[in-house]
Amino acid sequence: MTPAAPAYRRLSVEERRSQLLEAALSLFAHRVPEDVSLDDVAEAAGVSRPLVYRYFPGGKQQLYEAALRSAAEELHHCFDEPRDGPPLPRLARALDRYLSFVGRHDAGFSALLQGGSVVETSRTTAIVDGVRRAAAEHIYSHLGVSDPGPRLRMTVRMWITAVEAASLIWLDEDKQPPADELRDWLVDQFVAVLTVTAARDAQTAELVRGALAAET
């Protein structure tokens, strides 16, 4: 007797939406958003174009923003490290997850998180900026700072921008140096910029003498 074909399982609304977002993120990871059509997403997900429209009636713009939010949520979790142990090893583990995300999305990292796309809007810009602000808040928490002053805030935000820039250059350089070396260098950069700021800011100086003194 011929074995019966496996029963078709109807996906729930959330499962189908996740499937379409995963397909879109996979495409955006290798092509800029303006080069990805809804037909491409439908083909990658193994569904029809009308089904994609059913879940994203706003078309590619809505799909792109949803994909961006999905990527942003994953990046939020990168810096969501348990507050156990010294802060610098925690930062290193967060960077490991961040660089793993960058590596998986490869060429699409710029399109997903750095802008420069014709589908960029104030909403997509706000999503990206929200990732940066959330990362900064996690870092303040890891450092044990509840009320960072302007110089410390500027230093941390500048370092986050430097991490993004280094990640893009790392992709251009075929992911060289190895991710663990890049991670260690970025941690060293973090300590270095805090040390420079400490010469001009009492709050940062106290932080360097206290929370980071035993690790540097």
Side-chain angles (χ1 to χ4, degrees):
M1 296 178 62
T2 303
Y8 173 78
R9 186 173 72 89
R10 186 181 183 88
L11 297 181
S12 69
V13 171
E14 285 305 314
E15 287 174 330
R16 181 66 74 188
R17 181 180 173 84
S18 295
Q19 178 199 30
L20 295 175
L21 287 177
E22 183 177 349
L25 282 171
S26 178
L27 292 170
F28 292 145
H30 299 91
R31 292 150 60 183
V32 294
E34 51 264 38
D35 290 342
V36 176
S37 69
L38 290 183
D39 286 331
D40 294 330
V41 175
E43 181 179 359
V47 300
S48 66
R49 178 188 175 97
L51 184 62
V52 179
Y53 263 114
R54 175 182 171 187
Y55 283 84
F56 300 97
K60 187 167 71 173
Q61 179 64 44
Q62 183 184 9
L63 180 59
Y64 174 71
E65 290 179 11
L68 190 60
R69 288 191 186 93
S70 177
E73 288 175 6
E74 186 173 348
L75 281 174
H76 276 301
H77 293 309
C78 289
F79 287 89
D80 192 12
E81 176 72 20
R83 271 58 171 172
D84 298 323
L88 293 186
R90 284 185 253 157
L91 182 61
R93 291 192 291 271
L95 284 170
D96 280 337
R97 290 192 291 272
Y98 179 87
L99 292 173
S100 175
F101 175 90
V102 173
R104 290 198 310 276
H105 289 281
D106 208 343
F109 177 70
S110 176
L112 282 168
L113 298 178
Q114 296 295 101
S117 167
V118 296
V119 295
E120 183 179 8
T121 66
S122 60
R123 292 191 299 274
T124 61
T125 300
I127 293 169
V128 174
D129 192 55
V131 172
R132 296 170 181 147
R133 291 182 181 277
E137 292 300 324
H138 280 302
I139 291 172
Y140 302 143
S141 180
H142 286 304
L143 295 174
V145 177
S146 58
D147 187 22
R151 287 184 184 271
L152 179 56
R153 289 199 304 272
M154 185 176 294
T155 300
V156 170
R157 291 294 299 273
M158 286 173 60
W159 179 78
I160 291 170
T161 300
V163 169
E164 290 182 356
S167 300
L168 292 171
I169 296 169
W170 182 60
L171 292 176
D172 286 341
E173 295 291 335
D174 296 323
K175 300 179 184 176
Q176 291 298 321
D180 57 343
E181 293 182 21
L182 177 59
R183 173 205 65 208
D184 291 344
W185 181 72
L186 289 171
V187 172
D188 290 344
Q189 288 285 322
F190 182 68
V191 174
V193 295
L194 285 178
T195 302
V196 170
T197 301
R200 296 175 176 269
D201 180 60
Q203 182 184 45
T204 308
E206 182 179 356
L207 178 64
V208 170
R209 288 194 302 266
L212 300 183
E215 303 182 63
T216 56

